[in-house]
Amino acid sequence: MASTAHRRYAEIMRDVEDLINDHSEPLSNVSTRLGLIIGKVEHQKKGTSQRSKLKFLVPSVGVFFTPLLLEDAFVYQDSRRRISSRRFVPPSFNDIRLTLNSAQVMSLVRNGPLQLVTFDGDVTLYDDGQSLTEDNPVIPRILKLLMQNLKVGIVTAAGYTDASRYYSRLCGLLEAIKTAVTRDEISNPALIVLGGESNYLFTFDLASSHLLRYIPRKEWMLEEMKQWTELDVTALLDVAEVALRECVSNMELPAEILRKERAVGIIQKSGSHLPKFTREQLEETVLVTQQVVEMSAAGQKLPFCAFNGGNDIFVDIGDKSWGVLSCQKYFGDIAGGNTLHVGDQFLSVGANDFKARLACTTAWIASPAETVQLLDELAFHGENKATL
């Protein structure tokens, strides 16, 4: 029974994989079934993506930076999650999410080379509101990436102009890199932190007091970002602040407004007796604010991100797609097909990792433990590349 279910599930995955490959242009005229390289989407390259069968079936389908090895990924995940062996519980959302992650990782290992890995912060590298302490199991995995001469970026919504604030959140990783450099285990660690989604860039610097050196915006901005005027930035944040204040008033939220240089948001008022925001309140605030800003004159000029931070709401100038693109440019114009962004927020409502899909391949994780598992899987497939 399990073998029959496995075969049928694998056939479904192969059919979906073929749909994606039809949407894709082979770098070689051979099938993935032979274990050879397939590249970007066929109809994308020909400029006929609107006519692909996949586009017809899923009109909202986005850009594919690489093939997705769905059948192989299912076989891998089935051996671990025993999906085919279950009699009463069908394949779940998490089964599919993790299979897609595996398919993406396998493709990057096979087709690559993977050159840049970017991470969200909260819930991806550490628990929400916590810090990256020295005992975090993700640290040795990130060190291994750096030892392999991969570039690493931490693209976070936390927007600070002071390196000490990022040091307090990332001290365990930064100190571990410092130790590795001192021991000659890493010669030139390529680590950057991009804060405020896409607004503040710091690079690892052993000589700096907090092991991070601020890079002026003019030295790394994309050409399009140079068109963002301070007048438009202020106007957009003003509109967002008005919308947030109206939401706080209408829903009687126990919140206060926090205005920053490139962001504005609401945070919980202090006091243990106050109730936390409900998920529905947070989502309503995000949707209302997003719509109001989108309809404003400033919102027509500048990209922005309205997102649910778990117990706060913020509107940032730019978004994760601009953040990842900036990382790619800083490290020498790395392509989206050679970049992997790892994050936990990919639901379209109030999720700030969602936009990263426009810039590169992605992996959707649900906890820091899953990030560790993903990096272990990346290492496993890298060591067994010949069998993929």
Side-chain angles (χ1 to χ4, degrees), residues 120-121 155-160 166 194-197 260 307 316 320 352:
D120 179 36
V155 184
T156 173
Y160 311 127
Y166 289 112
L194 193 54
E197 308 286 5
K260 299 182 179 181
F307 68 94
D316 282 322
K320 284 283 176 76
N352 61 351

Side-chain angles (χ1 to χ4, degrees), residues 112-270:
L114 178 62
Q115 297 174 323
L116 168 63
V117 183
T118 61
F119 298 93
D120 179 36
D122 289 76
V123 189
T124 299
L125 293 178
Y126 41 81
D127 291 329
D128 192 25
Q130 302 303 306
S131 300
L132 195 53
T133 55
E134 61 181 6
D135 58 344
N136 191 309
V138 81
I139 291 177
R141 276 80 175 178
I142 295 179
L143 289 179
K144 186 173 182 178
L145 296 178
L146 295 171
M147 290 174 185
Q148 295 171 339
N149 293 318
L150 269 69
K151 320 297 183 185
V152 174
I154 299 175
V155 184
T156 173
Y160 311 127
T161 57
D162 185 357
S164 65
R165 300 289 299 275
Y166 289 112
Y167 176 83
S168 67
R169 299 297 298 272
L170 306 171
C171 57
L173 175 62
L174 296 173
E175 290 294 341
I177 297 174
K178 176 183 177 181
T179 300
V181 171
T182 303
R183 295 174 177 172
D184 292 328
E185 295 171 347
I186 303 175
S187 58
N188 186 26
L191 173 83
I192 61 175
V193 178
L194 193 54
E197 308 286 5
S198 56
N199 289 296
Y200 311 103
L201 193 147
F202 294 80
T203 184
F204 180 84
D205 186 351
L206 199 62
S208 298
S209 57
H210 295 101
L211 302 178
L212 290 170
R213 174 168 50 87
Y214 177 72
I215 306 296
R217 195 173 290 130
K218 64 182 180 181
E219 295 183 20
W220 56 268
M221 279 195 305
L222 302 170
E223 287 302 316
E224 297 88 342
M225 297 170 75
K226 295 176 182 178
Q227 310 304 316
W228 304 354
T229 68
E230 290 304 314
L231 188 64
D232 287 336
V233 168
T234 300
L236 188 148
L237 295 180
D238 286 345
V239 171
E241 183 173 341
V242 170
L244 289 168
R245 289 188 184 278
E246 289 183 355
C247 288
V248 169
S249 175
N250 292 340
M251 290 188 284
E252 299 182 352
L253 300 177
E256 57 187 39
I257 300 292
L258 179 60
R259 180 76 176 250
K260 299 182 179 181
E261 179 196 21
R262 311 277 284 192
V264 62
I266 60 171
I267 59 175
Q268 186 90 29
K269 281 186 176 179
S270 58

